[in-house]
């Protein structure tokens, strides 16, 4: 086990999948800094005090939880929570600028340009936190959402996005995924994943560790970034190209043009 890796300090959706068929994303804006900071502290307290507890990488034991709960903070969210400027300055430019300012580099142009993004993504400076609920039943999603927003003092709900897995591990592009899962050095029991694949270094998904690239390590403020991970939330209405486009691009790739 890597000495600096502490499972209880790592959100559980980074190095593993929960295998739950339903997911709900709550897009939130901080409206009361003190209340929001109290909410965050309560979410990792173990006691809860009515706030959903963040699911970590710590072992579950013999019984899996009915629901899992995780959060992601944007740069604007850290700013709204009162994070010191010296700490914020330690994050990479890509994170600080956000996706809207980097739209051209990311290929979000034309119909996908920021000015055409649906609410609440059309006003990204107000998106401070995205809370994710994983569950087996719709009623469980509703229950955890009520708990997360109880009182309505800390956050304003800007939007909700629901997701549902396809049967038999198929994705919306038509192919089957989830055939194997990556293993990370110092995290998983290798006897559980005998797939012949080498273990990936922790820096593949976690900040503050060595990566696959020699000498490359993402440096972030240790007090808020270590054992964290960057994630991009992309809202898609689907594609007009479909399978035929993907197959054509695959053929071009194999042919080298």
């Amino acid at each position: 086990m890597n000495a600096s890796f502490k499972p209880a300090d790592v959100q559980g959706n980074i190095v593993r999948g929960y295998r739950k068929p339903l997911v709900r994303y709550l897009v939130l804006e901080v409206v009361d800094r003190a209340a929001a900071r109290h909410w965050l502290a309560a979410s990792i307290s173990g006691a809860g005090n009515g706030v959903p507890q963040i699911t970590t990488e710590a072992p579950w034991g013999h019984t899996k939880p009915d629901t899992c709960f995780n959060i992601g903070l944007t740069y604007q969210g850290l700013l709204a929570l009162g994070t010191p400027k010296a700490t914020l300055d330690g994050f990479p430019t890509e994170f600080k600028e956000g996706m809207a300012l980097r739209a051209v580099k990311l290929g979000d142009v034309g119909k996908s340009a920021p000015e055409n993004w649906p609410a609440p993504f059309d006003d990204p400076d107000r998106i401070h936190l995205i809370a994710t609920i994983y569950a087996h039943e719709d009623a469980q999603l509703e229950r955890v959402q009520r708990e997360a927003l109880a009182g309505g003092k800390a956050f304003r709900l800007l939007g909700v996005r629901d997701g549902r897995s396809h049967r038999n591990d198929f994705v919306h592009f038509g192919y089957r995924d989830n055939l194997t899962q990556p293993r990370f050095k110092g995290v998983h029991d290798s006897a559980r994943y005998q797939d012949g694949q080498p273990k990936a270094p922790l820096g593949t998904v976690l900040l503050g560790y060595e990566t696959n690239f020699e000498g490359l390590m993402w440096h972030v403020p240790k007090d808020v970034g270590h054992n964290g991970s960057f994630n991009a939330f992309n809202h898609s209405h689907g594609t007009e190209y479909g399978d035929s486009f993907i197959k054509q691009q695959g053929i071009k790739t194999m042919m080298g043009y």
Side-chain angles (χ1 to χ4, degrees), residues 20 53 57 59-60 62 68 72 79 112-113 125 138 140 150 159 193-194 223 226 244-245 252:
K20 295 186 182 296
Q53 295 300 284
E57 181 60 25
W60 289 342
H62 297 294
C68 295
L79 191 64
S112 297
D125 286 349
D138 290 322
Q140 294 171 333
Y193 299 93
Q194 296 291 352
D223 53 345
H226 188 68
S244 61
F245 174 80
K252 288 183 179 180

Side-chain angles (χ1 to χ4, degrees), residues 4-255:
S4 62
F5 176 77
K6 297 177 174 57
D9 192 40
V10 178
Q11 294 204 59
N13 61 342
I14 299 176
V15 298
R16 65 175 167 184
Y18 295 139
R19 296 183 179 273
K20 295 186 182 296
L22 304 179
V23 64
R24 174 167 294 177
Y25 302 98
L26 308 178
V27 185
L28 306 173
E29 177 186 20
V30 173
V31 292
D32 186 310
R33 176 180 294 178
R37 291 167 69 108
H38 177 79
W39 184 95
L40 287 170
S43 72
I44 60 171
S45 66
N49 298 322
V51 175
Q53 295 300 284
I54 291 177
T55 306
T56 72
E57 181 60 25
W60 289 342
H62 297 294
T63 303
K64 290 184 177 182
D66 292 333
T67 61
C68 295
F69 185 76
N70 294 104
I71 66 168
L73 289 161
T74 66
Y75 175 79
Q76 293 297 332
L78 292 172
L79 191 64
L81 288 167
T83 307
K85 184 178 183 301
T87 299
L88 292 174
D89 288 344
F91 281 103
T93 300
E94 294 84 350
F95 178 66
K96 291 187 286 186
E97 288 185 343
M99 296 178 71
L101 289 179
R102 302 177 62 80
V104 174
K105 292 184 178 180
L106 297 172
D108 286 333
V109 297
K111 292 181 179 180
S112 297
E115 58 266 25
N116 297 319
W117 290 356
F121 306 104
D122 58 339
D123 193 0
D125 286 349
R126 295 182 61 195
I127 299 176
H128 296 158
L129 185 149
I130 294 182
T132 310
I133 308 167
Y134 305 86
H136 289 279
E137 301 174 359
D138 290 322
Q140 294 171 333
L141 295 177
E142 297 292 340
R143 173 178 57 80
V144 178
Q145 178 175 334
R146 286 195 300 271
E147 292 174 357
L149 302 177
K153 186 178 181 181
F155 304 103
R156 177 180 293 113
L157 180 64
L158 301 179
V160 176
R161 294 295 185 274
D162 284 341
R164 184 181 300 268
S165 62
H166 292 259
R167 291 184 179 181
N168 301 318
D169 292 327
F170 280 90
V171 300
H172 63 279
F173 285 120
Y175 63 84
R176 193 177 184 188
D177 198 5
N178 205 26
L179 298 179
T180 185
Q181 297 294 333
R183 299 174 300 153
F184 299 100
K185 295 178 181 178
V187 178
H188 290 304
D189 178 2
S190 59
R192 293 175 54 199
Y193 299 93
Q194 296 291 352
D195 58 6
Q197 299 297 317
K199 292 183 179 180
L202 278 172
T204 306
V205 292
L206 288 179
L207 299 171
Y209 299 89
E210 292 184 359
T211 68
N212 285 313
F213 303 98
E214 184 177 354
L216 175 63
M217 180 183 294
W218 295 107
H219 294 282
V220 294
K222 187 173 182 178
D223 53 345
V224 295
H226 188 68
N227 279 331
S229 185
F230 290 122
N231 189 21
F233 188 93
N234 186 282
H235 176 80
S236 175
H237 284 288
T239 174
E240 61 186 78
Y241 303 111
D243 291 341
S244 61
F245 174 80
I246 296 172
K247 290 176 181 177
Q248 290 172 11
Q249 297 305 308
I251 293 172
K252 288 183 179 180
T253 300
M254 288 186 290
M255 296 298 290

